Amino acid sequence: MELCMKILDANMNTRAVGRGIDEVNLVYSQEYKQGDRIILETSGEPAWLWLQFDDAIGKSLTYVTGNVTYMVPFGEKRINLSPKAFYGNKHLLCARAAKDFEIDAYRNLAVNVCDQHHLKNCYPHVSANVETRGESVFAAQNAIDGITVNTCHGEWPYQSWGINMQEDAKLRLDFGRTVEIDKIILYTRADFPHDNWWKSVEFAFSDGSTLEMKMEKSRLPHEIGFPARQVCWLEMSRMVKSEEPSPFPALTQIEVYGKEGKICEDSAASKPAE
């Protein structure tokens, strides 16, 4: 598989490029500027790729169904990331085709440190019908960034998905293909007494089934196991808040465990939460 990674400026001029077969590494020895973007091109689609857009963020095993454009974040859009991310004048970007044993392993299928709002062809991808004040520290993508610190709220590493006190809040997780899952773990934000907590949440799955998860007030992860099911996406909704006075329940992280299934044929696989 041919892989190409480029850095383009705001005027779409190429600032750096790297190419390789099954693996590409790109060292960028300049400071990023407003409007810069990272482009990943691949000759084979779909593809399972280990993808890293910044060494301070790390890499994730992603399922890519087309060229990927990642916008380099600045200002407020960067405070949900490590302050080392995209900072300075030396950056390591890379992509590598995953090995069969990596693809087939039982693992957390929900983590993607490369996710952004607009990325509809790099999975897993998360979307929501609300994010508190549109701020990056409360964006839905924070719920799949692999960081489980939940004892505070705000800038990294305390970013979370904030629902802006909206009772009909929904979070949708798209896998881009069919996977077989049997466990969900939630890290709810636990900055008590600032935060409230959910007594229960409901999951709806692409196969038409639903699942209710009961929870307690705790900083510990909430876990539910169930018979394996084949799904392309799941949606979390109907979060029932406790009677405590705080209006601010929130989600720090969702983990979904399972393995690969068949290629997804669900035409609504990329439909965002509404």
Side-chain angles (χ1 to χ4, degrees):
M1 180 191 305
E2 296 179 3
L3 296 172
C4 178
M5 190 168 280
K6 303 176 182 177
I7 298 174
L8 307 183
D9 65 18
N11 296 316
M12 303 302 288
N13 298 311
T14 301
R15 308 297 297 175
V17 61
R19 293 183 174 88
I21 302 298
D22 290 338
E23 183 172 3
V24 59
N25 292 286
L26 177 59
V27 177
Y28 186 54
S29 300
Q30 298 183 47
E31 292 187 0
Y32 286 112
K33 297 180 180 179
Q34 191 81 39
D36 285 353
R37 65 200 65 195
I38 301 165
I39 309 293
L40 173 72
E41 299 174 348
T42 172
S43 64
E45 301 168 8
W48 282 266
L49 297 176
W50 284 100
L51 192 55
Q52 174 177 295
F53 289 134
D54 189 90
D55 47 279
I57 297 175
K59 61 185 69 176
S60 287
L61 179 52
T62 60
Y63 180 74
V64 174
T65 59
N67 293 342
V68 177
T69 299
Y70 185 92
M71 301 303 298
V72 177
F74 279 83
E76 190 278 331
K77 296 302 180 184
R78 199 170 74 177
I79 62 175
N80 62 325
L81 304 175
S82 166
K84 299 183 289 291
F86 304 102
Y87 181 78
N89 59 5
K90 186 164 289 187
H91 313 274
L92 176 60
L93 303 82
C94 58
R96 174 178 67 81
K99 309 295 185 184
D100 287 344
F101 70 88
E102 296 172 321
I103 298 169
D104 296 336
Y106 181 87
R107 55 193 169 87
N108 176 15
L109 297 165
V111 62
N112 183 4
V113 300
C114 303
D115 196 32
Q116 286 187 326
H117 280 108
H118 66 280
L119 286 183
K120 302 298 193 295
N121 55 359
C122 182
Y123 298 96
H125 172 67
V126 71
S127 55
N129 64 343
V130 60
E131 295 174 336
T132 302
R133 297 184 297 273
E135 297 176 9
S136 66
V137 293
F138 300 122
Q141 69 192 57
N142 299 328
I144 61 169
D145 65 3
I147 297 177
T148 59
V149 183
N150 65 349
T151 54
C152 194
H153 70 282
E155 297 182 8
W156 182 92
Y158 302 111
Q159 65 278 6
S160 59
W161 174 50
I163 66 170
N164 202 35
M165 300 179 288
Q166 190 165 311
E167 294 186 1
D168 64 346
K170 296 180 182 180
L171 181 88
R172 176 169 168 135
L173 179 62
D174 282 290
F175 300 103
R177 77 283 189 197
T178 298
V179 295
E180 183 176 290
I181 63 173
D182 63 6
K183 183 188 299 183
I184 297 174
I185 297 176
L186 297 182
Y187 288 81
T188 52
R189 208 176 65 199
D191 185 11
F192 307 128
H194 173 276
D195 288 341
N196 205 322
W197 54 281
W198 293 308
K199 297 191 295 184
S200 65
V201 302
E202 183 177 284
F203 295 99
F205 301 93
S206 62
D207 66 355
S209 64
T210 59
L211 178 70
E212 184 181 36
M213 183 177 189
K214 298 288 189 180
M215 294 187 289
E216 301 175 345
K217 182 179 182 179
S218 177
R219 293 185 171 91
L220 301 176
H222 311 274
E223 179 176 328
I224 187 169
F226 45 87
R229 62 190 74 192
Q230 300 266 334
V231 302
C232 298
W233 53 263
L234 63 82
E235 188 173 81
M236 173 179 157
S237 64
R238 298 189 179 183
M239 287 86 83
V240 179
K241 183 166 53 98
S242 83
E243 291 77 16
E244 295 190 9
S246 169
F248 303 121
L251 178 67
T252 295
Q253 198 74 188
I254 179 172
E255 298 178 347
V256 182
Y257 285 86
K259 60 185 180 179
E260 294 296 325
K262 61 184 179 180
I263 297 297
C264 182
E265 298 176 353
D266 182 358
S267 61
S270 298
K271 181 181 177 183
E274 297 177 350

